[in-house]
């Protein structure tokens, strides 16, 4: 008997019958894991001091970890004990893989089979094709994540041990923590200044950036690239747009940050030229939505903040660990706009036509994102004395589950912290899923069971 | 022989044959009027001092007047002579009516008939229905504008003469100038502090607000309301959306500004309660896109700036004197989003279905607007030391031809002023028209000849 069994009368059947919609199950699952994480982090043993952390810091940290965001009000390393940090790491792993993916895996491990309902739920979260072999997909997701994290952990641990003379146990812990944090785009570090100390170290900067990109491409794209990277002509629309838009944003972002910050004495200014490019690249990777930093974000120029806002809002690939409206949504809308400007009736990507409903779905995701960010920014502006620059940055960072910060989150009053928590939750679960869970939808929509359409959002 | 005659060999025919697209004619027409205005304002007699104003102030002022925006770098009254102010007034009137409307009127007056090409051009600008009696439409636009402006001028002149003891000649000039400026949503005043001195005077505040709303609804909606206001069930989709969204934004905006600024000692704070509501209403009207102010915009709270940014970006009605992406575009996108969230395949407004191409067009207008504002804000941020609040406000104000300002435009370096000029021009002519003029479009699109579709943008 499993959580996801559909046998009537079973525990799973009872649980599922209370939730009529996949959205409610996903929202409920994330909320349950956050509640468990909050309870664990509120224990006295979770802090270094041995005093209970308090509900709000525990809730914010647990939400930030499960939603793989990284915005925090207390510094991870001095504040939380090893127990607390292990809890955070597990929450990141659960949140990164996704609640339904884990539940499905659990069901598979226990019973070896899945009911139709569980299949639909897992498909809604992993956004796999209808009819695909779900069991194989889930297994590949988990194996791929663990293998990638292990490789990165080994590289980082060796570097911390050999390059920074960390004792072996500490080096391994640092390697594992930052590997899981990077691959899952979680944005948590064990250093209070982020990764600024490693700005000139390619053995840390490049593997971490690579892990963030890999984890943020989204599993469907990664698997297609793994099996088909030599034949770009055969790629799906999803993979074409994800790879193309990602490459354009990474190249453009690297140039932009490098040029804008080149002479800024508080960021790239004092660095050697080749390090400037590497740091510019890292800074361009992190908005999608790694959330780590090798330069002081609060010291960046205002136009760099705006560029970061835009990159964060766009985010990374669909059905992975990245947040934002997703590069596919952004790319599709760009194609739609271009077709309209050119006076063409159809929207073609490569040699395939993009269906009308997908265009409308992309539009809805982008508009919902704009609306949520605008409402969140307005509300937070009314609560704090900070200017739009910083408030918008923090709101977009929360909504897009990025975790970069100009430093205002720890200073926010409790209602402002609650707003950040809500934004992180909506951002990770997805506005459409939240909306569907609110039961405002009349019918089940096809994009909960995608067919031949590229994934957006 | 007229400018718009299509007889081959005629002057008009030669002029038109050089421009293959309606967009090029409209862009060229606006540019020509701006050039003439700049030349006139650069004359020594245009300034009070009798010294030439210089090219950049003359160009910015002429562009601001023709594009009915109101952003300025020199104060209108002390700087410009009566000659200069008359030039500005004429430029506002030409810009407000629209270049093609005036040219068509001219052609009608001279020849009494219009060629097919001229008809298409005028339809592209006035966005009238294909097959409608264009001559009658143009005549109604001009008569309606002049009658409205005359009535408002009389009201204001009487008030200035009786309530403020202005001498008759001065009272009439003030009345005429502010009537034309209000009805055409031009944002120019002859007082350096805007209309702050009239904050408690309903005889000035309410007529001016009413004129801005009337002029900003757009002529097609005004005419439908004039002939059919008793029967809302018969209204077109255009009128339904324009009236509904406008009413919602005005009520919501009034409440928002009144509440947010209620205790602000530098804006509404010192005023009596009933005046607060009136000033809140005026402040909610002006972003669409009147551009006048009865409270100090630079002293408003940051969240009021953000709300103003959003209202300015949305703007007013299509095919009138207002700017922004237009309430129809905003309303249509909201309907599309709502239909998608509800899981409905069709987008219905009232009892009519909104065609797919119109949805795509609305999306394109909104995305182009976001892109232009983002690019303009980024560029301006890189030029000046101001924060995002002020820079974004000024860029949106220019693009949406509003003219409200937190005060940074006069301080901008010349490249920044040129950017404001370009934004005003694109905002007034319309990004789609500019794009079409750039000849990037393959085919003539149907929305240059609208059929049964609601107007967006
Ligand atoms: K993150
Ligand atoms: K204006």
């Amino acid at each position: 008997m499993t959580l996801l069994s559909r046998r009537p009368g079973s525990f799973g059947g009872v649980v599922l019958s209370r939730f009529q919609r996949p959205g409610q199950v996903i929202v409920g699952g994330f909320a349950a894991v956050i509640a468990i994480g909050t309870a664990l982090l509120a224990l006295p043993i979770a802090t270094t001091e041995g005093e209970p952390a308090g509900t709000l810091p525990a809730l914010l940290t647990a939400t930030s970890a499960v939603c793989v965001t990284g915005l925090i009000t207390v510094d991870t390393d001095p504040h939380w004990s090893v127990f607390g940090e292990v809890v955070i790491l597990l929450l990141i792993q659960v949140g990164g893989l996704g609640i339904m993916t884990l539940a499905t895996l659990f069901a598979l491990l226990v019973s070896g089979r899945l009911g139709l309902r569980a299949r639909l739920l897992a498909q809604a979260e992993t956004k796999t094709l209808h009819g695909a072999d779900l069991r194989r997909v889930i297994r590949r997701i988990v194996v791929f994540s663990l293998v990638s994290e292990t490789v990165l952990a080994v590289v980082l641990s060796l570097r911390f041990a050999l390059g920074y003379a960390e004792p072996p146990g500490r080096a391994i812990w640092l390697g594992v923590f930052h590997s899981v944090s990077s691959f899952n785009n979680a944005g948590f570090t064990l250093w209070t200044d982020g990764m600024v100390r490693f700005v000139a170290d390619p053995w840390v900067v490049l593997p971490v950036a690579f892990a963030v990109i890999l984890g943020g491409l989204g599993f469907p794209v990664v698997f297609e690239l793994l099996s088909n990277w030599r034949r770009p002509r055969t790629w799906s629309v999803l993979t074409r747009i994800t790879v193309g838009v990602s490459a354009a944003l990474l190249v453009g972002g690297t140039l932009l940050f490098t040029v804008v910050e080149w002479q800024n004495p508080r960021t790239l200014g004092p660095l050697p030229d080749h390090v400037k490019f590497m740091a510019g690249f890292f800074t361009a990777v992190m908005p999608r939505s790694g959330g780590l930093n090798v330069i002081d974000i609060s010291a960046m120029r205002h136009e760099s903040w705006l560029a970061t806002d835009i990159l964060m809002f766009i985010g990374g690939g669909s059905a992975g660990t990245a947040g934002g409206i997703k590069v596919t949504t952004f790319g599709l809308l760009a194609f739609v706009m271009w077709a309209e400007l050119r006076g063409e009736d159809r929207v073609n990507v490569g040699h395939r036509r993009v269906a009308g409903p997908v265009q409308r779905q992309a539009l809805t995701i982008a508009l919902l994102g704009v609306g949520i960010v605008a409402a969140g920014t307005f509300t937070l502006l009314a609560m704090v004395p900070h200017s739009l620059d910083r408030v918008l940055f923090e709101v977009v960072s929360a909504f897009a589950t990025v975790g970069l910060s100009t430093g205002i989150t720890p200073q926010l009053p409790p209602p402002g912290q609650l707003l950040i928590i809500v934004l992180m939750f909506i951002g990770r679960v997805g506005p459409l899923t939240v909306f569907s869970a609110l039961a405002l939808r009349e019918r089940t929509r096809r994009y909960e069971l995608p067919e031949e359409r590229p994934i957006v959002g």
Side-chain angles (χ1 to χ4, degrees), chain A:
Chain A
M1 193 185 314
T2 77
L3 179 68
L4 288 159
S5 162
R6 64 195 269 262
R7 269 171 289 163
S10 72
F11 173 68
V14 171
V15 168
L16 281 175
S17 70
R18 310 255 337 237
F19 299 103
Q20 291 303 310
R21 297 151 189 279
Q24 291 180 335
V25 179
I26 295 174
V27 166
F30 269 97
V33 175
I34 289 171
I36 295 168
T38 304
L40 291 174
L41 289 178
L43 295 175
I45 55 163
T47 66
T48 326
E49 306 260 311
E51 301 281 324
T55 311
L56 189 57
L59 174 63
L60 191 136
T61 306
T63 309
S64 193
V66 174
C67 301
V68 289
T69 306
L71 287 174
I72 46 176
T73 50
V74 292
D75 284 323
T76 306
D77 193 36
H79 186 81
W80 303 109
S81 63
V82 172
F83 171 83
E85 289 172 20
V86 170
V87 168
I88 290 172
L89 200 68
L90 290 175
L91 294 175
I92 289 172
Q93 187 62 76
V94 169
L97 280 175
I99 304 296
M100 288 317 300
T101 307
L102 277 184
T104 310
L105 180 77
F106 180 71
L108 285 171
L109 290 178
V110 175
S111 75
R113 66 186 197 80
L114 278 180
L116 174 65
R117 187 174 185 84
R119 218 180 282 260
L120 296 184
L121 284 169
Q123 279 170 346
E125 191 183 65
T126 58
K127 300 187 178 172
T128 44
L129 298 186
H130 189 49
D133 184 347
L134 186 64
R135 191 184 308 192
R136 200 162 139 256
V137 169
I138 298 280
R139 199 184 298 133
R140 285 179 81 180
I141 289 177
V142 174
V143 169
F144 175 73
S145 296
L146 294 183
V147 169
S148 304
E149 288 169 359
T150 305
V151 171
L152 180 65
V154 170
V155 171
L156 291 180
S157 298
L158 284 173
R159 184 60 186 163
F160 294 144
L162 303 177
Y164 299 86
E166 296 281 0
R170 174 81 180 157
I172 291 173
W173 175 235
L174 289 175
V176 169
F177 189 94
H178 292 93
S179 164
V180 172
S181 180
S182 304
F183 181 80
N184 291 290
N185 284 3
F188 278 82
T189 67
L190 296 178
W191 298 284
T192 51
D193 59 351
M195 306 192 80
V196 172
R197 68 189 65 194
F198 302 110
V199 63
D201 185 349
W203 293 99
V204 175
V205 165
L206 297 181
V208 165
F210 180 74
V212 165
I213 294 174
L214 193 66
L217 277 177
F219 296 115
V221 171
V222 165
F223 294 147
E224 188 166 353
L225 289 179
L226 283 178
S227 58
N228 248 346
W229 65 274
R230 287 165 184 275
R231 288 173 295 168
R233 284 169 173 275
T234 67
W235 290 354
S236 64
V237 171
L238 172 69
T239 298
R240 280 165 194 253
I241 296 185
T242 303
V243 171
V245 174
S246 296
L249 293 179
L250 287 174
V251 171
T254 302
L255 287 176
L256 188 147
F257 290 118
T258 308
V259 169
V260 170
E261 299 294 330
W262 191 268
Q263 294 192 300
N264 185 340
R266 296 173 59 204
T267 59
L268 298 187
L271 303 172
D273 286 0
H274 70 280
V275 174
K276 286 179 180 175
F277 279 102
M278 196 166 71
F281 170 67
F282 194 88
T283 307
V285 168
M286 289 306 142
R288 52 169 294 141
S289 50
L292 300 167
N293 64 297
V294 290
I295 58 178
D296 181 1
I297 300 293
S298 70
M300 293 202 307
R301 296 198 195 278
H302 288 179
E303 58 268 33
S304 293
W305 283 348
L306 178 64
T308 307
D309 292 337
I310 294 169
L311 290 176
M312 291 194 297
F313 186 77
I314 297 170
S318 295
T321 60
I325 63 168
K326 306 297 178 332
V327 288
T328 36
T329 307
F330 175 78
L332 263 183
L333 291 177
F335 274 105
V336 173
M337 189 176 88
W338 188 245
E340 177 72 15
L341 289 174
R342 297 280 296 174
E344 283 152 15
D345 282 336
R346 301 185 168 193
V347 180
N348 298 320
V349 179
H351 294 286
R352 302 195 200 169
R353 182 173 168 207
V354 179
V358 178
Q359 301 176 27
R360 209 175 79 169
Q361 189 186 336
L363 164 67
T364 302
I365 290 169
L367 290 181
L368 269 182
V370 169
I372 290 167
V373 166
T377 304
F378 180 85
T379 309
L380 201 55
L381 272 175
M383 289 180 189
V384 297
H386 306 296
S387 73
L388 180 63
D389 308 81
R390 290 173 189 270
V391 171
L392 177 66
F393 193 99
E394 223 76 2
V395 167
V396 175
S397 179
F399 170 71
T401 69
V402 176
L404 294 172
S405 172
T406 67
I408 68 170
T409 292
Q411 309 162 23
L412 293 179
Q417 294 188 23
L418 282 174
L419 179 64
I420 295 288
I421 289 170
V422 170
L423 286 169
M424 292 192 292
F425 188 83
I426 294 176
R428 177 60 184 152
V429 173
L432 283 183
T433 306
V434 172
F435 212 91
S436 137
L438 292 176
L440 289 165
R441 176 163 305 196
E442 287 288 274
R443 301 176 245 158
T444 318
R445 283 285 295 164
R446 17 176 127 61
Y447 53 77
E448 292 175 336
L449 295 173
E451 289 163 357
E452 305 292 334
R453 303 183 172 81
I455 305 168
V456 293

